Amino acid sequence: MKQYETVIGLEVHVELDTKTKIFCSCSTAFGGEPNTHVCPVCTGMPGALPVLNQKVVEFAVAVGLALDCSITRYCKFDRKNYFYPDNPQNYQISQLYLPICRAGGVEIETEAGKKTVGIHEIHMEEDAGKLIHMEGENCSLVDYNRSGVPLLEIVTEPDMRTSMEVVAFLEKLRSMIQYLGASDCKLQEGSMRVDVNLSVREAGSTALGVRTEMKNLNSFRGISRAIEKETIRQIQLLESGRKVVQETRRWDDALEDSYVMRSKEDARDYRYFPEPDLPPVRVDEAWLKEIKARQPEFREEKRKRYRKDYGISDYDAGILTETKAMADVFEKAAALSKLPKKAANWLMGETLRLQKEHHMEAKELPFSPEHLAELVLLTESGAINSTVAKEVFEEMFLHDVDPGRYVEEKGLRTLGDEGELRDCIYRILEENPKSVRDYLNGKDRALGFLVGQTMKATKGQADPEKVQQLLKEILQK
Ligand code: ADP
Ligand code: MG
Ligand code: ZN
């Protein structure tokens, strides 16, 4: 068999996290009773006129800058004409001739090394409504709540060669968009949708082969499986002397296979023309500068900086930077407490554990960096022991309590006074003569029991190590 190479380019749709739709003031909130987030504009009523949401342009420019694109300073919208019941205008407002961003690139790293995936363009467009097919009934319903929700379409160059590269690219893209707050990019919920364009060619050839486009991919795993399957299908076609047909295929996650949806349409079929109801968009120097100034530090830079500034391992830095929310809390708590590693431990340990236990999203951090720093300092100074610290943290996590105040109110401070602790130990020894004898006869286990009794008597407020040390000292005499 000949050697083949897989060539992949992606079209990624991202639903933007604006409050209102792209051309009207209806809410973009997910869910809601069908057809309650609608108005004449997003249901295509005659005479209704679109007005562009400025925030959409800002997100598009911010994503474009993050992906190293050149920003089109004078861009336009176009009409893409087609009929479908979820598309009440009979056209979609999109961008064909002058998209907002072009010619960018994203550096990715896989086992095969580093490479740059080119970004062909990014354009702004509106989402369609949703058809609901009634099971067992001879009808379908349509919900226009999603009609007019803003989308960015990010189109890459055909620069990827393996599913590993595709996943690395998508992970990086998703992280940057999440850091920008532009979208939550959830594949399962459709706020990020990936179409995979794939062709194969003989190794060494530079010409592109005929491609297919796969849709309905809603997990990274599904994407990887779809790439493997389609690569094999195309190679088999070519090996048996047949041809790959340019078509759109639908991936079925349950069947782990794709099937033909429709033959491939191209731009000419849509009769695009400039949208007459919207003026061109100008991105002037001042606005561009403003958006640039707001760009956050992204995950990769943070990760490097954490290693350098805080001496944190790359693995840990990876966890701390997974969401911007976590990274923000970490950086503030580290600065306030001056104990970055201690702050990091709370975030990587208890925080993740409790988030999981309470089915919370990674970006939901229910406590402030100030409180985390306070807890770190209370523990570090010995004011509370580690068992108490865990309890305080959980209270802070679940009920947003102020750690200092909580410790005072509940009387959780470690027994600092050694005299008090000694008195307590003497009492315990008197109450447990048998354990004392056992210990003196060489049964080390008895010491553990006495430590336990002392901790109980102090309501857990003593430092167990200190108790053990004092016990030994007293028993020695
Ligand atoms: P269309 O807009 O008709 O879908 P484009 O030429 O804009 O087509 O390409 C869409 C996507 O397909 C891009 O991500 C591009 O990189 C990718 N692509 C184009 N040709 C090929 C090919 N022969 N093999 C793999 N991917 C391709
Ligand atoms: Mg396409
Ligand atoms: Zn509307």
Side-chain angles (χ1 to χ4, degrees), residues 21 23-27 37-43 147:
K21 293 184 179 180
F23 300 125
C24 62
S25 55
C26 292
S27 163
H37 304 161
V38 294
C39 74
V41 174
C42 55
T43 49
S147 168

Side-chain angles (χ1 to χ4, degrees), residues 112-384:
K114 282 188 185 173
K115 78 186 272 184
T116 299
V117 174
I119 301 293
H120 183 71
E121 65 166 73
I122 304 177
H123 58 259
M124 301 177 279
E125 59 185 31
E126 55 181 334
D127 209 345
K130 241 183 205 161
L131 279 180
I132 300 150
H133 305 292
M134 304 296 286
E135 211 164 319
E137 279 177 62
N138 194 15
C139 77
S140 293
L141 300 175
V142 65
D143 175 7
Y144 292 121
N145 283 353
R146 203 180 64 181
S147 168
V149 166
L151 295 176
L152 290 187
E153 180 172 339
I154 300 152
V155 184
T156 77
E157 298 296 346
D159 285 345
M160 285 156 278
R161 300 288 174 266
T162 62
S163 59
M164 275 82 78
E165 289 183 358
V166 168
V167 170
F169 170 79
L170 288 171
E171 277 177 345
K172 185 149 179 196
L173 179 69
R174 181 174 67 175
S175 169
M176 287 199 281
I177 295 175
Q178 286 173 341
Y179 262 66
L180 286 166
S183 173
D184 56 10
C185 294
K186 288 186 184 158
L187 279 110
Q188 255 86 11
E189 290 175 16
S191 56
M192 186 182 209
R193 296 168 227 158
V194 181
D195 299 343
V196 172
N197 293 271
L198 185 150
S199 61
V200 297
R201 64 183 174 197
E202 261 186 66
S205 155
T206 50
L208 288 172
V210 176
R211 74 170 193 270
T212 60
E213 179 174 344
M214 279 182 292
K215 291 189 176 287
N216 194 42
L217 298 155
N218 45 31
S219 67
F220 285 163
R221 190 181 163 275
I223 290 170
S224 300
R225 294 289 293 136
I227 289 171
E228 286 163 31
K229 277 276 175 117
E230 182 60 9
T231 301
I232 293 169
R233 194 187 67 88
Q234 291 190 11
I235 291 175
Q236 280 173 349
L237 278 175
L238 298 179
E239 282 289 305
S240 63
R242 282 175 290 170
K243 282 193 174 129
V244 175
V245 180
Q246 190 172 342
E247 64 199 3
T248 303
R249 302 177 67 85
R250 186 183 167 86
W251 174 254
D252 187 320
D253 225 18
L255 289 178
E256 294 222 327
D257 212 348
S258 67
Y259 53 88
V260 185
M261 225 167 114
R262 55 174 186 249
S263 66
K264 175 70 185 159
E265 70 293 341
D266 72 24
R268 269 171 310 176
D269 300 324
Y270 288 111
R271 297 283 168 187
Y272 277 94
F273 64 84
E275 167 59 51
D277 289 340
L278 284 165
V281 181
R282 294 190 69 105
V283 180
D284 65 21
E285 199 56 45
W287 195 15
L288 187 60
K289 239 173 115 180
E290 214 182 289
I291 300 171
K292 268 187 192 159
R294 281 203 301 262
Q295 291 292 90
E297 181 186 34
F298 289 105
R299 187 176 186 192
E300 213 159 275
E301 296 96 77
K302 277 196 191 300
R303 210 164 155 164
K304 276 193 205 126
R305 189 166 61 77
Y306 286 8
R307 273 185 295 179
K308 201 167 123 262
D309 291 3
Y310 307 121
I312 280 173
S313 76
D314 185 51
Y315 179 81
D316 291 355
I319 296 176
L320 292 169
T321 55
E322 201 159 311
T323 63
K324 182 164 181 295
M326 169 99 67
D328 285 347
V329 168
F330 167 66
E331 287 174 31
K332 280 208 193 110
L336 288 169
S337 66
K338 311 232 164 28
L339 292 164
K341 287 195 182 159
K342 295 275 154 61
N345 286 340
W346 284 111
L347 291 167
M348 294 184 304
E350 286 299 277
T351 304
L352 293 184
R353 183 181 73 76
L354 288 167
Q355 277 177 336
K356 204 167 162 196
E357 191 178 310
H358 296 277
H359 307 287
M360 288 162 72
E361 293 207 35
K363 64 178 181 197
E364 290 179 74
L365 287 180
F367 53 87
S368 67
E370 287 77 14
H371 285 172
L372 177 58
E374 200 178 339
L375 180 67
V376 166
L377 291 173
L378 281 169
T379 317
E380 188 64 14
S381 68
I384 56 176

